[in-house]
Amino acid sequence: DVGGPTADFRAPACKAQLKRGACPGKRCLSPEPCAQLEADHADCLELLRKLRALPGVKKVFVRSGVRFDYVMADAAHGAEFLDELAAHHVSGQLKVAPEHISDNVLRCMGKPSQAVFDAFCDQYHALNRRAGKQQYLVPYLMSSHPGSRLEDAVALACYLKRNRLHPEQVQDFYPTP
């Protein structure tokens, strides 16, 4: 397994982060990618290629997941990264964390809109079809987030049904002191 839950997020988000640390609010990708964000998967691609080329290495997987919103923000290498990820580095399931699908809830969470996740899913599934692979996305979802309404929960349930997703785990937001 290469990386952690954000295997593709390998460098500071921008030059300003090197000088003063993370911005207040830490909204590099939400609701839209920051103009200063330097989304770049070149280093990650190079690392995965080097690992694949090591003698005796049969498979190199990214099992802990990727930041789908970061992939979509990378105009230069995002598509290439996703293509190589699907072709060489998924062991059947790729973990992603859309957290929810309601734009209302996603806004409260500081996450990008559902449209970003849907675009990632479409691209990922198309690449798998092209590669002749049957690989799935395992979405991490959260229920009961503050700001979530009953209609948001219903929308999530309908989305899961419409997309034939059967999550085995959903985190229920439970605020504690």
Side-chain angles (χ1 to χ4, degrees):
D1 184 18
V2 177
T6 55
D8 56 326
F9 209 80
R10 296 178 38 85
C14 66
K15 287 181 179 65
Q17 193 177 41
L18 291 170
K19 295 175 188 170
R20 66 171 193 266
C23 295
K26 300 176 191 167
R27 300 279 173 118
C28 299
L29 290 160
S30 168
E32 299 293 326
C34 174
Q36 304 303 313
L37 178 67
E38 297 175 2
D40 188 356
H41 286 80
D43 179 58
C44 192
L45 277 165
E46 183 181 342
L47 173 65
L48 291 171
R49 289 170 182 158
K50 283 180 179 179
L51 291 171
R52 273 199 325 257
L54 287 173
V57 171
K58 293 180 182 180
K59 289 287 185 183
V60 176
F61 295 124
V62 175
R63 299 179 88 175
S64 301
V66 296
R67 287 286 303 262
F68 69 89
D69 47 353
Y70 187 61
V71 172
M72 300 307 285
D74 182 356
H77 299 102
E80 180 183 12
F81 171 76
L82 191 55
D83 185 35
E84 287 200 28
L85 184 73
H88 302 288
H89 302 290
V90 176
S91 64
Q93 298 180 341
L94 178 64
K95 295 177 185 175
V96 289
E99 309 270 1
H100 211 283
I101 56 87
S102 164
D103 284 342
N104 172 59
V105 178
L106 292 169
R107 209 171 9 266
C108 293
M109 291 178 160
K111 293 287 196 168
S113 72
Q114 176 192 344
V116 176
F117 180 64
D118 288 343
F120 175 85
C121 291
D122 292 346
Q123 191 174 349
Y124 178 77
H125 293 309
L127 290 169
N128 278 292
R129 280 191 299 276
R130 190 177 79 198
K133 295 190 173 208
Q134 196 169 16
Q135 300 179 132
Y136 303 95
L137 290 173
V138 178
Y140 168 84
L141 299 164
M142 183 183 293
S143 64
S144 306
H145 189 274
S148 180
R149 306 163 300 186
L150 178 59
E151 49 265 38
D152 298 317
V154 170
L156 177 57
C158 291
Y159 180 88
L160 293 173
K161 183 176 182 179
R162 185 172 54 254
N163 291 284
R164 296 185 181 104
L165 295 171
H166 306 281
E168 293 183 15
Q169 298 177 345
V170 174
Q171 181 178 339
D172 189 40
F173 185 89
Y174 187 78
T176 57

